[in-house]
Amino acid sequence: MDTQELYRRGIATRKEIFGAEAVEKRMGALGEFGAPLQNMINAYAYGDIWSRPGLDRKTRSLIVIGMNAAINRAAEFKVHVNGALNNGCTAEQIREVCLLVALYAGIPAANDAHRIALETFRERGMETL
Amino acid sequence: MDTQELYRRGIATRKEIFGAEAVEKRMGALGEFGAPLQNMINAYAYGDIWSRPGLDRKTRSLIVIGMNAAINRAAEFKVHVNGALNNGCTAEQIREVCLLVALYAGIPAANDAHRIALETFRERGMETL
Amino acid sequence: MDTQELYRRGIATRKEIFGAEAVEKRMGALGEFGAPLQNMINAYAYGDIWSRPGLDRKTRSLIVIGMNAAINRAAEFKVHVNGALNNGCTAEQIREVCLLVALYAGIPAANDAHRIALETFRERGMETL
Amino acid sequence: MDTQELYRRGIATRKEIFGAEAVEKRMGALGEFGAPLQNMINAYAYGDIWSRPGLDRKTRSLIVIGMNAAINRAAEFKVHVNGALNNGCTAEQIREVCLLVALYAGIPAANDAHRIALETFRERGMETL
Amino acid sequence: MDTQELYRRGIATRKEIFGAEAVEKRMGALGEFGAPLQNMINAYAYGDIWSRPGLDRKTRSLIVIGMNAAINRAAEFKVHVNGALNNGCTAEQIREVCLLVALYAGIPAANDAHRIALETFRERGMETL
Amino acid sequence: MDTQELYRRGIATRKEIFGAEAVEKRMGALGEFGAPLQNMINAYAYGDIWSRPGLDRKTRSLIVIGMNAAINRAAEFKVHVNGALNNGCTAEQIREVCLLVALYAGIPAANDAHRIALETFRERGMETL
């Protein structure tokens, strides 16, 4: 497959998950300086790995949320909480991930994850639990 | 609920996931010194969090595999690859998690995860891919 | 022991360390969504582990400060700097921990720890050194 | 060598890399509380390690940027992006480091690194790419 | 560019850096299970990022060594110590990176890095220092 | 103070904590290649930081054990379990640290810590618990 095709497939997938506006905004924020990284994200992350069969998007979202909480990447965690909700995950499922974070990466990681998840729910106007 | 009941429920769940023999062996390895930690694992990790509804065991296994690969805990990763297979996850699904690890925690983490997963499959006599 | 009793013992210990108001505020911040995590914190972290004999609270505080600085959990680090001071640790002792952080987790971790510790001292109106 | 001499050599090196004003400001921010840490930084980090032959300052800067991005230390990363630019590294070279971060520590780490690098370029009034 | 072309360019670069035999062996070790990861490594890591102008291979090697030491990935660190030596880096330069690791990621990380670097030098029959 | 004096004071402290033979062996293992790192360890880590008043050695040992368990540095963790026992810490106190590790850095970190601690106790011929 041509890498431009990979890029196009990836950006389409990415916009389905996060919404076109959010993706444009994120890509624009890093401008020309960020173009090679955006190519990695669009072509390799979304055009290749996220486009593979073998796991549905909801499951991928929950796994990615768990990893980002565990490795302490707050901005990426928040992006993927939004993605998970767009993919049809519920606040309850996201909470279960955050509780697993407490077991495997510790309570401070789980505290941070809960706080950001709840903040994201509120920004979306969700009635949470 | 009484904590002893939590402990019993947890150890039962844990044995369903990993097999009674594997659990006994792991608990025995740390002896009396490890008793308070085993109580945390049995009562709190398996009796409470893993026993919650909201996510099925297969999904929990995949999330936990992803987190342990990302945070570099090889022994726990291997335990949960076995657990995931016992819970009905396939080698292909475990590979998808390991590929997500490459994106979110880097290629060295994914390399380690692939190597340990494959080693585990071979120990179980699986024909993998 | 009943888990509700563990919870009650834990929340009492927690309030002794951090003050009732601070604990209520932290628990309230995550609302109903955070209830299962608060149960882990109150019953398991404070009702069980922190309530064990074998190490006094001052020593536990210093260990926990060191770990949180090393693993880059700023919010939890700050909570436990306050807890350490409430438990009777001095600014000088907290500084010694932050200097050990430089050796074992690197100077950037120690820089972050010093900055947050000093900020916390100032919020409490302490004359520091 | 006397440690005071090491300290003097280090602070001179440090001021060459980051500018006298930036160093004074950083040292002042932690006051008397931070004096032992500043001694470590001035005497040991800059007076010893950074003053060794064997690698030029530009290469050291790029290595240090890569490490701080990988281990998630945003404040130190930003300090060393400024140092790298002062040492003569270009925005393009810094971007290459940030792209290597994506491969070895994951895309979330690279996203954070790109964002902070670009913010730093803008604060310095650089036309970037 | 076609992704197969990217893959071919990457595998050629990779073999220049590590030697054809070492690359074949590493790719073979993960078999069919590892094929998608090897595609990421060959096409994206070496065919794209490592093939970019802007930094020479020696500098890239030193940066990658520093990152892998800091994030505790021993196997990848060792691979890249070999790559760095093949790219023309000296034992002294690699040591300077390991000393920077002590400052930014802590002495335990530097200890591990020194040990593995020295082991690698010995395997290659190098007279070191 | 002269740095050679700092070095001498540090190596004396280090030998008091770990035993002369263990220190000689560790220093010898890295040979000439490791000399600058050994200078950092002897002069800066033990001659300066560990020689400061403000915390006794037993408390320092427990803090350092906690940090190394949390950041996944197995070799250094083991060195300091030995140091802690030499400094008069008990197996029970070391276990309390390992249980705090479970809370703050996760159960996999605590599992690894328990395993290595117990292995160390056995190597010393201790009857543990």
Side-chain angles (χ1 to χ4, degrees):
Chain A
M1 191 187 288
D2 192 85
T3 53
Q4 288 192 305
E5 200 180 321
L6 208 58
Y7 187 95
R8 276 192 297 271
R9 183 170 75 181
I11 208 168
T13 299
R14 195 178 170 194
K15 288 182 176 179
E16 282 171 33
I17 299 175
F18 300 106
E21 197 186 354
V23 171
E24 303 284 1
K25 191 177 159 196
R26 279 173 65 79
M27 289 180 66
L30 296 179
E32 189 57 33
F33 180 73
L37 179 63
Q38 291 303 323
N39 183 60
M40 292 181 77
I41 294 172
N42 289 328
Y44 309 155
Y46 291 99
D48 180 349
I49 304 303
W50 272 81
S51 296
R52 290 173 58 87
L55 280 180
D56 62 276
R57 285 189 191 166
K58 286 173 73 164
T59 307
R60 287 183 189 278
S61 280
L62 297 174
I63 293 164
V64 169
I65 283 174
M67 285 197 289
N68 277 293
I71 61 172
N72 207 3
R73 293 289 172 182
E76 194 86 10
F77 175 80
K78 186 166 187 171
V79 164
H80 285 283
V81 170
N82 273 304
L85 294 167
N86 295 343
N87 282 343
C89 298
T90 64
E92 284 78 4
Q93 289 174 320
I94 290 167
R95 179 167 67 181
E96 291 307 312
V97 178
C98 295
L99 292 169
L100 288 170
V101 169
L103 295 181
Y104 295 96
I107 287 172
N111 257 327
D112 287 346
H114 273 72
R115 184 179 45 74
I116 299 169
L118 197 57
E119 176 189 288
T120 311
F121 299 157
R122 286 175 180 153
E123 287 169 5
R124 296 167 69 106
M126 290 167 66
E127 297 270 340
T128 42
L129 309 175
Chain B
M1 191 188 288
D2 191 84
T3 55
Q4 288 192 304
E5 200 179 321
L6 208 58
Y7 186 95
R8 276 192 298 271
R9 183 170 74 180
I11 208 167
T13 299
R14 196 177 170 194
K15 288 182 176 178
E16 282 171 33
I17 299 175
F18 300 105
E21 198 185 354
V23 171
E24 304 283 1
K25 192 178 159 196
R26 279 174 64 79
M27 289 178 65
L30 296 178
E32 189 57 32
F33 180 74
L37 180 63
Q38 291 302 324
N39 182 60
M40 292 180 76
I41 295 172
N42 290 328
Y44 309 155
Y46 291 99
D48 180 350
I49 304 303
W50 272 82
S51 296
R52 291 171 58 86
L55 281 180
D56 62 278
R57 285 189 191 167
K58 286 172 74 163
T59 307
R60 287 184 189 276
S61 281
L62 297 174
I63 293 164
V64 168
I65 283 175
M67 284 197 290
N68 277 293
I71 61 171
N72 208 2
R73 293 290 173 182
E76 194 87 10
F77 175 80
K78 187 166 186 170
V79 164
H80 284 283
V81 170
N82 273 304
L85 293 166
N86 295 344
N87 281 343
C89 297
T90 65
E92 284 78 4
Q93 289 173 320
I94 291 168
R95 178 167 67 181
E96 292 306 313
V97 178
C98 296
L99 292 169
L100 289 170
V101 169
L103 295 181
Y104 295 96
I107 287 172
N111 257 327
D112 287 345
H114 273 73
R115 183 179 45 74
I116 300 169
L118 197 56
E119 176 190 287
T120 311
F121 300 157
R122 286 175 179 152
E123 287 169 6
R124 296 168 70 107
M126 290 167 64
E127 297 270 340
T128 43
L129 310 176
Chain C
M1 191 186 288
D2 191 85
T3 54
Q4 287 192 304
E5 201 180 320
L6 207 59
Y7 187 96
R8 275 192 299 270
R9 183 170 75 180
I11 208 168
T13 299
R14 196 178 171 194
K15 287 182 176 178
E16 282 171 34
I17 299 175
F18 301 105
E21 197 185 356
V23 171
E24 303 283 0
K25 191 177 160 197
R26 278 173 66 78
M27 290 179 65
L30 296 178
E32 189 57 32
F33 180 74
L37 179 63
Q38 292 301 324
N39 182 61
M40 293 181 75
I41 294 172
N42 290 328
Y44 309 155
Y46 290 100
D48 180 350
I49 304 303
W50 271 82
S51 297
R52 291 173 58 87
L55 280 180
D56 61 277
R57 284 189 191 166
K58 286 172 75 164
T59 307
R60 287 184 189 276
S61 280
L62 297 174
I63 294 163
V64 169
I65 283 174
M67 284 197 289
N68 278 293
I71 61 171
N72 207 3
R73 292 289 172 183
E76 195 85 10
F77 175 79
K78 186 166 187 171
V79 164
H80 284 284
V81 170
N82 273 304
L85 293 166
N86 295 343
N87 282 344
C89 297
T90 64
E92 284 78 4
Q93 289 173 320
I94 290 168
R95 179 167 66 181
E96 291 307 313
V97 178
C98 295
L99 292 168
L100 288 170
V101 169
L103 295 182
Y104 296 96
I107 287 173
N111 257 327
D112 286 345
H114 273 72
R115 184 178 46 73
I116 299 169
L118 197 56
E119 176 190 287
T120 311
F121 300 157
R122 286 176 178 152
E123 287 169 5
R124 296 168 69 107
M126 290 168 65
E127 297 270 340
T128 43
L129 310 175
Chain D
M1 191 186 289
D2 191 86
T3 54
Q4 287 192 304
E5 200 179 321
L6 207 59
Y7 186 95
R8 276 191 299 271
R9 184 171 73 180
I11 208 168
T13 299
R14 196 177 171 195
K15 287 182 176 178
E16 282 170 33
I17 299 175
F18 301 105
E21 197 185 357
V23 171
E24 304 284 0
K25 191 176 159 195
R26 279 173 64 79
M27 290 180 65
L30 296 179
E32 190 55 34
F33 181 73
L37 179 63
Q38 291 303 324
N39 182 60
M40 293 181 76
I41 294 172
N42 289 329
Y44 309 155
Y46 290 100
D48 180 349
I49 304 303
W50 270 82
S51 296
R52 290 172 58 86
L55 280 181
D56 61 277
R57 284 188 192 168
K58 285 172 74 164
T59 307
R60 288 185 188 277
S61 281
L62 297 174
I63 294 164
V64 169
I65 283 174
M67 284 197 289
N68 277 293
I71 61 171
N72 207 2
R73 292 290 172 181
E76 195 87 9
F77 175 80
K78 186 166 186 171
V79 164
H80 285 283
V81 170
N82 272 304
L85 294 166
N86 295 343
N87 281 343
C89 297
T90 64
E92 283 79 5
Q93 289 173 321
I94 291 168
R95 178 167 67 181
E96 291 307 313
V97 178
C98 296
L99 292 169
L100 289 170
V101 169
L103 295 181
Y104 296 97
I107 287 172
N111 256 328
D112 287 345
H114 274 72
R115 183 179 46 74
I116 300 169
L118 197 56
E119 176 189 288
T120 312
F121 300 157
R122 286 175 179 153
E123 286 169 7
R124 295 168 70 106
M126 291 167 63
E127 297 269 341
T128 44
L129 310 176
Chain E
M1 191 186 285
D2 192 85
T3 54
Q4 288 193 304
E5 200 179 320
L6 207 59
Y7 186 96
R8 277 192 298 271
R9 183 169 76 180
I11 208 168
T13 299
R14 196 178 170 194
K15 287 182 176 178
E16 283 171 32
I17 299 174
F18 301 105
E21 197 185 355
V23 171
E24 304 282 0
K25 192 177 160 197
R26 279 173 65 79
M27 288 180 66
L30 296 179
E32 189 57 32
F33 180 74
L37 179 63
Q38 291 302 324
N39 183 60
M40 292 180 77
I41 295 173
N42 289 329
Y44 309 155
Y46 291 100
D48 180 350
I49 304 303
W50 271 82
S51 296
R52 290 172 59 86
L55 280 180
D56 61 277
R57 284 189 191 166
K58 286 173 73 163
T59 307
R60 288 185 189 277
S61 281
L62 297 174
I63 293 164
V64 168
I65 283 174
M67 283 196 292
N68 277 293
I71 62 171
N72 207 3
R73 293 289 172 183
E76 195 86 10
F77 175 80
K78 186 166 187 170
V79 164
H80 284 284
V81 170
N82 273 304
L85 293 166
N86 295 344
N87 281 343
C89 298
T90 64
E92 284 78 4
Q93 289 173 320
I94 291 167
R95 178 167 66 181
E96 292 306 314
V97 178
C98 296
L99 292 168
L100 288 170
V101 169
L103 295 181
Y104 296 96
I107 287 172
N111 257 328
D112 286 346
H114 273 73
R115 183 179 46 73
I116 299 168
L118 197 57
E119 175 190 288
T120 311
F121 300 157
R122 286 176 180 153
E123 287 169 6
R124 295 168 71 107
M126 290 167 65
E127 297 271 340
T128 43
L129 308 176
Chain F
M1 191 186 286
D2 193 85
T3 54
Q4 288 192 305
E5 200 179 321
L6 207 59
Y7 186 96
R8 277 192 297 271
R9 183 169 75 179
I11 208 168
T13 299
R14 196 178 170 193
K15 287 182 176 178
E16 282 171 33
I17 299 175
F18 300 105
E21 196 184 357
V23 171
E24 304 283 359
K25 191 176 159 198
R26 278 172 66 78
M27 289 179 66
L30 296 179
E32 188 56 33
F33 180 74
L37 179 64
Q38 291 301 326
N39 182 61
M40 292 181 77
I41 294 172
N42 289 330
Y44 309 154
Y46 290 99
D48 180 351
I49 304 303
W50 271 82
S51 297
R52 291 172 57 88
L55 281 180
D56 61 277
R57 284 188 193 168
K58 286 173 74 163
T59 306
R60 286 185 190 276
S61 281
L62 297 174
I63 293 163
V64 169
I65 284 173
M67 283 197 290
N68 277 294
I71 61 171
N72 208 2
R73 292 290 172 182
E76 194 86 10
F77 175 80
K78 187 167 187 170
V79 164
H80 285 283
V81 169
N82 273 304
L85 293 166
N86 295 344
N87 281 343
C89 298
T90 65
E92 284 78 4
Q93 289 173 320
I94 291 167
R95 179 167 66 181
E96 292 306 314
V97 178
C98 296
L99 292 168
L100 288 169
V101 169
L103 295 181
Y104 296 96
I107 287 172
N111 257 327
D112 287 345
H114 274 73
R115 184 179 45 73
I116 300 169
L118 197 57
E119 177 189 286
T120 311
F121 300 157
R122 286 177 179 152
E123 287 170 6
R124 295 168 69 107
M126 291 167 64
E127 297 270 340
T128 43
L129 310 176

